[in-house]
Amino acid sequence: MVDVLGWRKLLGVIAPSTNTVVQPDMERMRPEGVTNHFSRIFVEDPLALSNEDFIAGTTKIAESTLDAVASVMTCKPDYLVLGMSAVTFYGGVEGARAWKKQVEDFAGVGASTGAESVAAALKAYGNVKTVSFVSPYYPVANAEVRRFLEESGFEVKKDIPLQCKRWTDIAKVTPETLDGVIAELDGDDVDAIVQVGTNLSMVDIAAKYEAKLAKPVIAINAATYWHGLRACGIEDKIEGLGRLLAEF
């Protein structure tokens, strides 16, 4: 017997309790027969005014992640999609692998992380050597993203940390702001543009600019859900949310 609605796969989706973007984003990407089961990492909405504040906030997310995993595992999902971003980049490629292994060992099922999903997405497009990226983070976390991308084989040309003061402020960054950011990140020497930070709403904007610029523009929520679907053997092509989900 199989789950009546999730007859193909049950996905446990994890995100910070302050996040208002991951859940609606990933519901839009969900194919028939796949169901998403959301679990929130309890975290306060702290005021970040420095690199140190930002690292402290993300550390609290990391420390509470396994509690959220334990909660969602009671519905017996087949796989986990981790809709939290910054900590998955920390420590470069080896740090990212260690973080994923910790979650998978605890859960007893596989998991897709933001960091590995972005790297896999860039490689799926092919011929991507140089990238630029935007985040809602502080510079200290952007340095970790840069390290991960460079260790994954990509040259980072530019990066912009938006330095959002609260986790909930990330979801308030406007499309108009991101228009200007993409213009600043783009260039003839940039093969692809990446957005990290799962509470930054950029799936639609990425799809729009991907068509306009004729180069990959990757939103982390699309990359992570795509990675999770493909890891589960779900090959459905989903239109309207960028080339990654529609073609690869």
Side-chain angles (χ1 to χ4, degrees), residues 31-72:
E32 183 181 3
V34 176
T35 51
N36 298 334
H37 305 282
F38 208 78
S39 186
R40 293 186 175 271
I41 304 163
F42 178 78
V43 62
E44 301 287 353
D45 190 25
L47 181 64
L49 297 174
S50 67
N51 282 321
E52 292 75 19
D53 291 343
F54 189 88
I55 290 295
T58 57
T59 298
K60 289 186 180 299
I61 291 174
E63 291 171 347
S64 300
T65 295
L66 295 185
D67 289 339
V69 172
S71 177
V72 82

Side-chain angles (χ1 to χ4, degrees), residues 31-246:
E32 183 181 3
V34 176
T35 51
N36 298 334
H37 305 282
F38 208 78
S39 186
R40 293 186 175 271
I41 304 163
F42 178 78
V43 62
E44 301 287 353
D45 190 25
L47 181 64
L49 297 174
S50 67
N51 282 321
E52 292 75 19
D53 291 343
F54 189 88
I55 290 295
T58 57
T59 298
K60 289 186 180 299
I61 291 174
E63 291 171 347
S64 300
T65 295
L66 295 185
D67 289 339
V69 172
S71 177
V72 82
M73 290 309 299
T74 61
C75 77
K76 297 182 172 59
D78 300 295
Y79 194 82
L80 297 177
V81 178
L82 302 185
M84 20 84 84
S85 174
V87 298
T88 70
F89 289 95
Y90 290 179
V93 168
E94 286 306 314
R97 286 176 182 157
W99 171 254
K100 175 183 164 104
K101 185 177 187 303
Q102 176 191 26
V103 172
E104 290 183 331
D105 287 351
F106 180 84
V109 298
S112 290
T113 69
E116 70 168 341
S117 299
V118 165
L122 288 167
K123 290 171 183 175
Y125 279 90
N127 299 317
V128 174
K129 296 181 174 62
T130 61
V131 301
S132 61
F133 71 89
V134 58
S135 84
Y137 309 154
Y138 273 69
V140 64
N142 266 34
E144 294 291 336
V145 177
R146 176 183 286 267
R147 174 185 173 185
F148 174 86
L149 290 172
E150 289 176 346
E151 289 183 6
S152 297
F154 305 101
E155 181 184 355
V156 178
K157 290 293 186 179
K158 307 171 187 174
D159 71 275
I160 295 175
L162 295 176
Q163 301 188 53
C164 294
K165 298 295 187 289
R166 293 186 182 276
W167 299 141
T168 52
D169 287 345
I170 298 170
K172 299 172 185 175
V173 176
T174 65
E176 292 75 20
T177 296
L178 293 171
D179 287 340
V181 166
I182 291 172
E184 188 174 344
L185 290 175
D186 191 27
D188 293 339
D189 60 343
V190 174
D191 296 331
I193 297 170
V194 171
Q195 169 260 323
V196 301
T198 62
N199 206 26
L200 188 62
S201 182
M202 199 161 146
V203 170
D204 291 328
I205 296 167
K208 177 181 77 171
Y209 275 97
E210 192 165 62
K212 180 178 179 180
L213 300 175
K215 66 178 64 176
V217 182
I218 298 172
I220 194 166
N221 288 345
T224 310
Y225 200 79
W226 163 83
H227 190 274
L229 289 177
R230 301 302 180 254
C232 289
I234 306 293
E235 298 293 336
D236 298 44
K237 303 301 188 287
I238 300 161
E239 299 293 334
L241 301 173
R243 287 183 58 204
L244 187 64
L245 285 158

